[in-house]
Each structure stands twice: as C-alpha cells, then as structure tokens.
C-alpha cells in the first residue's frame, strides 16, 4: 500500500467516511507573552501552500492585517508526492529560507521526533526556539487577528467581541458541512458516506444562499472571521471541487447570492493576489492520484471574479 493510500485508510471510518486527523501542535502566541510565545516582529515564520484552503486563511489574514513585515512566509511546492510537502524552486514557491529544510516533514520531526501522522499546512514556526508553535489554521488566524496588533493594522478586527457568539455559531455550522464537507465528499470510500456528505453540503449551501439574501456578509454589514473561513472553500469550489470531489449538484455560480458574495470578498483589496489557481488546480488534480490517477489538470473553467458583485446595499 502506498503512503498516500495508507493515510487515506487511516482517516477513513468503518462506514467509508473521511475523518480528518486533529492538529498536533497547539501552542499560542500572545501579545503579553504569557503563553511563553510573545508576539514579536520577525520571530515567527509561516510555512504555507497557496493551494491549501486552510493555509489560505492565514495568508489572507497576514495580508489584510498588514503583517507581511512582522511574520515572514514561505511557500511549498503545490505538488505533494509520497514524501509530502516539499520546498522546491518554481513559480510562486521556493527553498526554505529559515531552516533549509527540503521537506516540511523535517519541521515536524524536529518538533516531535515521534510524529507519525499526515504533515499539514499552515505551520507557524518559532525561529527563536526552533520548533513549531501551532499548525491549526483556526487558531492561527485568531492569533494573527489580535495578538500581533502592535505590528499590524489594529483597526482591522475579524472577531469583534459583539459578534463572537454569532461567528462561533456560523463556524460550527460551516466547518463540518462545507469546509470539511467537500473533503468528505471527495475522500468518501463508500457510496453511503459520499451520499450523506453530499446531502449535508448542499443543504448547508442552500441555507447560506437564503441567509445572504438579506445581508451582505454572514454576520451582517461587516466582514468577519466566518466569511474568510468560508471564502477559501467557495473560491475553490467551481474550479476544483465540482469535478474533483464530485460536488456537482450546483456550482457556486448557480447561487445568485453566494456567487455575488464570493466576488465581493474576492474583490476586497489585497485578496485577489492571495488566490493562485495554477497552484490550486495542480495540487488537487496531480497530488490526489487515488482520485485522479493520470494527474491530468483541466484547463477550465473560465470564471470572472472581477465581475461587479452588486452587494453594496445589503
């Protein structure tokens, strides 16, 4: 059994449903340093993939919070082979400038020599202590949102105190049904598991389509964490998930409100430059040989994210 197939088996339950592994490293950077990881400009480094929706969250936050000068970043090759995420020279990716690692797995082993699970992105690396701080994207974006305010734009807040309950509720609904739901469709190992994930996914999208009929963003008039967590899934949906993960009941472009909402987010200054469809498509269609054995990357679809969204008055 190949390493990729072995990992699929490890994250598949008895009914053939995909069950995502838990993130292994869960320390936190704090503004006051009480965690042992004080927020400092230049101390931390993000390892990311432009293809990965989870890593994409952190790239967007780093951009919109103005933290490019405080938190350095390097990008792995979108093609992930049996050895995992690699640092190779190519368009939009390159060598590891911090540790000289050839593979991201080296960062994991340096942090925990006994680590034996799937190596994932994003990773926040502590240059001073020489190990991984955290590899859970939902926690990393919270840190980037609030703990580095001394070094970025403190006025940008995607997790405002008055909306936290609503944001948490939205995240709790969207993550299992949509963010992870597309993967549950694509990585299902039985028809039963696929059918269940498929129904749940489109029921959730239908519900959000209705919600967005009367509000510009998920929590109202302002962008929040819930929007950016959803965005990185939606922006990949029509180009990849519809075909590759068989989420083909409807495209996002077939939902008037979701499609306008997606374009609205995409047109936020700075966001479009974080979206790289070459990396995205090559990663999914070449890496997942269990799903796409020949590794042929489709040329389409043609999607105009710059079309006026018309959502300003909601």
């Amino acid at each position: 059994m190949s390493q990729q197939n072995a990992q699929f088996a490890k994250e598949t339950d008895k009914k053939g449903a995909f069950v995502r592994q838990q993130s292994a490293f869960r320390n936190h950077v704090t503004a006051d340093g009480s965690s042992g990881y004080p927020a400092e400009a230049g101390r931390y480094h993000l390892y990311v993939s432009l293809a990965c929706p989870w890593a994409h969250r952190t790239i967007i936050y780093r951009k919109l919070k103005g933290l490019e000068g405080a938190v350095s970043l390097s990008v792995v090759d979108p093609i992930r082979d049996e050895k995992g995420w690699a640092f190779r020279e190519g368009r939009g990716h390159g060598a590891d400038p911090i540790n000289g690692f050839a593979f991201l797995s080296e960062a994991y082993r340096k942090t925990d020599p006994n680590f034996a699970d799937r190596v994932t992105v994003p990773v926040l690396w502590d240059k001073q202590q020489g190990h991984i701080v955290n590899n859970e994207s939902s926690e990393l974006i919270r840190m980037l949102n609030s703990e580095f305010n001394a070094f970025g734009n403190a006025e940008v807040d995607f997790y405002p105190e008055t909306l936290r309950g609503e944001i948490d509720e939205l995240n709790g609904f969207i993550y299992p049904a949509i963010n992870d739901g597309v993967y549950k469709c694509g990585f299902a190992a039985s028809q039963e598991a696929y059918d269940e994930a498929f129904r749940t996914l489109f029921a959730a999208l239908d519900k959000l389509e209705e919600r967005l009929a009367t509000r510009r963003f998920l929590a109202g008039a302002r962008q929040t964490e819930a929007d950016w967590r959803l965005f990185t899934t939606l922006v990949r949906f029509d180009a990849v998930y519809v075909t590759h993960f068989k989420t083909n009941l409807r495209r996002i472009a077939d939902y008037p409100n979701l499609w306008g909402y997606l374009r609205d987010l995409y047109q936020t200054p700075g966001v479009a430059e974080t979206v790289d469809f070459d990396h995205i498509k090559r990663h999914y269609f070449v890496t997942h040989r269990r799903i796409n054995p020949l590794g042929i990357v489709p040329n389409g679809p043609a999607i105009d994210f710059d079309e006026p969204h018309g959502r300003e008055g909601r």
Side-chain angles (χ1 to χ4, degrees):
M1 181 183 291
S2 71
Q3 185 176 344
Q4 188 179 95
N5 286 340
Q7 187 60 50
F8 269 119
K10 195 173 182 180
E11 295 183 77
T12 303
D13 69 13
K14 293 180 180 180
K15 293 184 178 180
F18 173 64
V19 181
R20 185 176 297 278
Q21 71 179 30
Q22 295 296 306
S23 298
F25 305 104
R26 310 296 284 270
N27 290 309
H28 287 75
V29 174
T30 52
D32 63 8
S34 60
S35 63
Y37 297 93
E40 298 173 4
R43 174 168 173 169
Y44 301 98
H45 185 79
L46 273 170
Y47 288 121
V48 301
S49 165
L50 301 182
C52 172
W54 319 109
H56 193 182
R57 298 172 172 183
T58 65
I59 299 168
I60 289 172
Y61 268 63
R62 178 176 175 267
K63 171 64 69 175
L64 298 186
K65 288 287 295 183
L67 292 171
E68 295 101 320
V71 180
S72 54
L73 177 147
S74 57
V75 180
V76 295
D77 188 334
I79 308 301
R80 192 185 67 217
D81 58 22
E82 290 291 316
K83 294 183 179 179
W85 296 109
F87 298 99
R88 302 186 187 99
E89 294 292 344
R91 192 203 63 77
H93 58 89
D96 171 21
I98 305 302
N99 297 293
F101 294 143
F103 295 93
L104 188 57
S105 58
E106 296 172 57
Y108 277 70
R109 288 197 301 271
K110 187 171 182 181
T111 306
D112 178 5
N114 297 315
F115 183 84
D117 292 326
R118 180 164 51 87
V119 172
T120 63
V121 286
V123 162
L124 186 67
W125 180 266
D126 184 347
K127 301 176 192 177
Q128 186 177 111
Q129 297 193 39
H131 61 228
I132 295 171
V133 178
N134 193 293
N135 71 327
E136 171 50 52
S137 66
S138 64
E139 295 172 359
L140 288 172
I141 60 174
R142 292 268 174 99
M143 295 178 221
L144 294 171
N145 183 68
S146 60
E147 305 303 332
F148 289 87
N149 278 341
F151 314 106
N153 188 347
E155 294 182 2
V156 175
D157 182 8
F158 297 121
Y159 193 56
E161 190 170 352
T162 56
L163 293 175
R164 287 180 183 179
E166 187 173 4
I167 292 168
D168 290 344
E169 184 178 354
L170 283 162
N171 290 341
F173 168 69
I174 291 168
Y175 171 76
I178 300 175
N179 298 140
D180 205 34
V182 294
Y183 284 88
K184 291 175 183 177
C185 290
F187 292 161
S190 72
Q191 188 70 48
E192 177 187 6
Y194 166 75
D195 290 344
E196 181 177 349
F198 187 91
R199 286 192 298 269
T200 301
L201 169 64
F202 282 96
L205 289 173
D206 290 347
K207 187 171 182 178
L208 293 184
E209 172 70 7
E210 183 179 353
R211 181 183 185 92
L212 289 167
T214 58
R215 60 187 74 199
R216 184 171 179 179
F217 302 109
L218 290 175
R222 63 182 292 179
Q223 295 172 352
T224 68
E225 175 186 290
D227 297 301
W228 295 119
R229 284 176 49 134
L230 178 60
F231 171 81
T232 60
T233 298
L234 295 186
V235 79
R236 288 161 172 77
F237 200 95
D238 291 4
V240 174
Y241 302 146
V242 167
T243 54
H244 190 61
F245 282 169
K246 307 179 187 70
T247 61
N248 59 356
L249 182 63
R250 283 180 288 276
R251 303 169 303 162
I252 299 305
D254 297 322
Y255 288 98
N257 297 320
L258 275 168
W259 175 222
Y261 163 80
L262 174 56
R263 300 198 311 279
D264 194 356
L265 291 172
Y266 181 88
Q267 292 169 27
T268 299
V271 171
E273 62 196 77
T274 72
V275 181
D276 190 314
F277 280 107
D278 172 62
H279 276 230
I280 290 168
K281 293 202 298 183
R282 284 196 293 126
H283 166 67
Y284 283 97
F285 289 104
V286 177
T287 296
H288 297 157
R289 293 303 179 102
R290 181 170 178 263
I291 298 173
N292 188 34
L294 296 180
I296 295 172
V297 181
N299 290 323
I303 305 173
D304 184 7
F305 288 99
D306 292 317
E307 177 188 339
H309 56 76
R311 293 186 58 80
E312 293 88 346
R314 302 193 187 218

